[in-house]
Amino acid sequence: MISLVLPDRSRWNSWVAAMDEFDGAVLHGFSTFGFDDADLRTSDVFDQWLRREVLQRSEGQDGFVPATVWWIIDDADPSEVLGSIHLRHELNDLLLAEGGHIGYAVRPSARGRGVATAALELCLEEARRRGITRILLVCETDNSLSRRTILSAGGVLENTHGIFERYWIALDGSRGRVDASH
């Protein structure tokens, strides 16, 4: 079973190992904005990142909207970070166009096991608890795996905007097309 846990020092090395598997690719959902991946391997920089993420949950930091990042773990081995998922509590213009409410990434060695689908469902539950009634998810047009994950969670394609596909998920139990004007 997949769980979402708040970042902590006990899983720090596994988180770094998960990032290493991306071999320099963009870490969607890892919330490393403003930090160099190599620097996050040092205790002091990790502690700075962790402090920012704690503050970020209630008030946007460094120009970002309030958000929560969780590490994705498998209850069978809770010491291993399988990936990361990031819920933005609100949208600004950039996120509305290209980012959405949720970003996520699963380390390559953990893919193909339903980890992203399970983590997304858990994150949607967190969004419901926060009173968010509609979630925007965005993926690149060539990312068929992310598209499949979004569709399996009930995503409804609103449009394609440049290289991005924009999907809405209604969290209030309604089905069908989501009115994006609200």
Side-chain angles (χ1 to χ4, degrees), residues 18 21 36 38 43 50 64 70 84 125-126 132 134 144 151 154 176 179 182:
E21 286 189 29
D36 182 85
S43 181
L50 195 55
F64 296 103
W70 293 276
S84 188
E125 286 302 318
E126 290 288 340
I132 302 171
R134 296 174 333 105
S144 62
L151 291 172
D179 180 2
H182 299 298

Side-chain angles (χ1 to χ4, degrees), residues 85-147:
I85 193 161
H86 186 217
L87 172 65
R88 297 163 193 107
H89 306 168
E90 58 192 57
L91 297 177
N92 59 23
D93 290 341
L94 178 64
L95 294 172
L96 187 60
E98 299 178 359
H101 283 97
I102 298 174
Y104 56 89
V106 173
R107 68 193 301 171
S109 64
R111 292 180 183 161
R113 298 188 281 166
V115 172
T117 300
L120 179 56
E121 287 297 330
L122 291 169
C123 192
L124 292 173
E125 286 302 318
E126 290 288 340
R128 277 186 194 91
R129 279 194 274 284
R130 293 180 182 280
I132 302 171
T133 59
R134 296 174 333 105
I135 289 289
L136 175 64
L137 287 140
V138 177
C139 71
E140 293 184 1
T141 56
D142 64 352
N143 190 338
S144 62
L145 296 176
S146 191
R147 178 185 310 109

Side-chain angles (χ1 to χ4, degrees), residues 10-173:
S10 71
R11 294 180 183 92
W12 171 39
N13 288 329
S14 181
W15 180 63
V16 169
M19 289 191 298
D20 286 347
E21 286 189 29
F22 288 91
D23 198 27
V26 176
L27 296 169
H28 298 287
F30 273 72
S31 191
T32 57
F33 315 110
F35 288 86
D36 182 85
D37 297 350
D39 291 341
L40 287 166
R41 299 173 194 297
T42 66
S43 181
D44 290 345
V45 174
F46 176 76
D47 287 342
Q48 289 173 8
W49 176 86
L50 195 55
R51 280 191 299 276
R52 181 192 73 181
E53 291 309 309
V54 169
L55 294 171
Q56 186 76 16
R57 294 176 203 149
S58 59
E59 184 176 323
Q61 301 293 304
D62 303 325
F64 296 103
V65 300
T68 303
V69 64
W70 293 276
W71 290 344
I72 305 166
I73 62 164
D74 185 336
D75 295 339
D77 184 3
S79 66
E80 183 182 12
V81 175
L82 302 178
S84 188
I85 193 161
H86 186 217
L87 172 65
R88 297 163 193 107
H89 306 168
E90 58 192 57
L91 297 177
N92 59 23
D93 290 341
L94 178 64
L95 294 172
L96 187 60
E98 299 178 359
H101 283 97
I102 298 174
Y104 56 89
V106 173
R107 68 193 301 171
S109 64
R111 292 180 183 161
R113 298 188 281 166
V115 172
T117 300
L120 179 56
E121 287 297 330
L122 291 169
C123 192
L124 292 173
E125 286 302 318
E126 290 288 340
R128 277 186 194 91
R129 279 194 274 284
R130 293 180 182 280
I132 302 171
T133 59
R134 296 174 333 105
I135 289 289
L136 175 64
L137 287 140
V138 177
C139 71
E140 293 184 1
T141 56
D142 64 352
N143 190 338
S144 62
L145 296 176
S146 191
R147 178 185 310 109
R148 186 170 52 197
T149 299
I150 293 167
L151 291 172
S152 73
V156 177
L157 179 65
E158 179 184 51
N159 63 19
T160 300
H161 175 75
I163 63 166
F164 300 104
E165 295 175 356
R166 300 172 68 250
Y167 294 85
W168 289 94
I169 298 176
L171 299 181
D172 60 3

